[in-house]
Amino acid sequence: MTPEVRRAAEILKRGGLVGFPTETVYGLGADASSKDAVLRLYAAKRRPLDHPVIVHFADSDLAFSWAREVPQAAKKLAAKFWPGPLTLILKRSSKAGDFVTGGQDCVGVRVPSHPVAQELLRAFGGGIAAPSANRFGQVSPTTAAHVREDLGKDVELVLDGGPSEVGIESTIVDLSGREPALLRPGKISAAELEAVLGSPVLVKQIDSPRHSGGLERHYAPKTPARLVPTHELDQEIARLKDKVAVLAFSRPDERVDYWLRMPREPQAYAQKLYAALRELDSARCESILIEAPPEAPAWAGVRDRLERATG
Ligand code: TXA
Ligand code: MG
């Protein structure tokens, strides 16, 4: 274990906050068993208290000990996708306090695969409550530098594990109801979940505060951003008088002040997305135009984040 990770585990044990890398985005961690620590986490994020946080564990046995019922579907998905970018919503056991579940009877659990996250979870031993390490409603961080920019002194230590590989938050599956439901699309697609479960997965349009990823204008840059279909991009650019920044698949257009070209492959796109939105935001343009991604299921995670960013 590195001295940094040991220090991070000690900070968590005395109720402090630590930024740490996961394969999806960086998390802001607190001891999930400590009400004081989790309240400090909500304060640092400026997040409303009725929004539940995901609890992270080193392995599935530990994760499942926070649930009072572990359905067969949970075991199957855990065996296939953990450690990895998947969060399961399960009926909580007495270990999951109201302060992590937002007062609900369910808890969100996840076993991340990032080696530094794994090392930290093993050193700490228990559950680490960790939302994305940004202020509430802003673009999630995918590097240690993003976390420091966003949270500054509100976080004692940020472990640096390099840029996040997946780039968008974990796929969330609710297994607390009668049928599995996809609450947040991510790298693991509905089709992949269905292949493992052998049955259809409901795709829920979330609009209650139950799931903060479901709020409008989540993951949003500060500059007003708009999604534009490919065939209208040229026309939109021609019409603009203000300084504009563009996120698109094609090569830069001379009329545009700031242009970022994105990969045509969804996973490579996801990996770059949040850093790109931050970069466009810092270009201080009047507005951001984003070329709409394809409709194909492989783009569901990216599309979801872009729709919210432009909400
Ligand atoms: O990839 C990820 O999941 C990242 C990394 C750090 O692990 N974490 C993350 O956490 O995205 P956060 O808090 O930004 O988003 C977690 C989502 C929230 O929308 C939250 O409301 C939902 O999961 N969630 C957590 N517990 C829940 C529960 N008991 N019932 C319903 N939704 C829940
Ligand atoms: Mg978040």
Side-chain angles (χ1 to χ4, degrees), residues 166-195:
V166 175
I168 57 173
E169 299 80 356
S170 59
T171 302
I172 301 182
V173 181
D174 185 355
L175 297 174
S176 69
R178 262 204 276 138
E179 283 170 84
L182 180 65
L183 298 187
R184 179 172 72 184
K187 182 184 179 215
I188 298 168
S189 67
E192 283 178 275
L193 297 169
E194 286 170 350

Side-chain angles (χ1 to χ4, degrees), residues 24 47 52 54 56 106 110 131-132 169-170 172 184 211-213:
T24 57
R47 178 170 173 146
I54 296 172
H56 298 66
C106 300
R110 156 160 140 79
S132 50
E169 299 80 356
S170 59
I172 301 182
R184 179 172 72 184
H211 168 256
S212 69

Side-chain angles (χ1 to χ4, degrees), residues 202-236:
L202 290 171
V203 178
K204 281 208 178 149
Q205 263 310 339
I206 302 299
D207 44 26
S208 70
R210 173 161 194 212
H211 168 256
S212 69
L215 289 182
E216 272 178 41
R217 292 274 305 163
H218 207 61
Y219 317 107
K222 296 180 193 86
T223 314
R226 224 153 25 96
L227 270 179
V228 180
T230 304
H231 67 276
E232 285 171 21
L233 196 58
D234 184 65
Q235 211 179 304
E236 281 286 334

Side-chain angles (χ1 to χ4, degrees), residues 20-27 56-57 81-87 110-118 121 141-142 161-171 187-188 267 270-271 274:
F20 67 98
T22 85
E23 67 279 17
T24 57
V25 300
Y26 273 66
H56 298 66
F57 299 91
F81 297 112
W82 278 352
L86 178 71
T87 296
R110 156 160 140 79
V111 177
S113 64
H114 193 293
V116 176
Q118 274 288 328
L121 285 161
T142 51
S164 299
E165 202 183 307
V166 175
I168 57 173
E169 299 80 356
S170 59
T171 302
K187 182 184 179 215
I188 298 168
Q267 291 188 8
Q271 195 174 52
Y274 287 142

Side-chain angles (χ1 to χ4, degrees), residues 97-115:
D98 282 339
F99 49 91
V100 287
T101 69
Q104 299 178 55
D105 195 32
C106 300
V107 62
V109 294
R110 156 160 140 79
V111 177
S113 64
H114 193 293

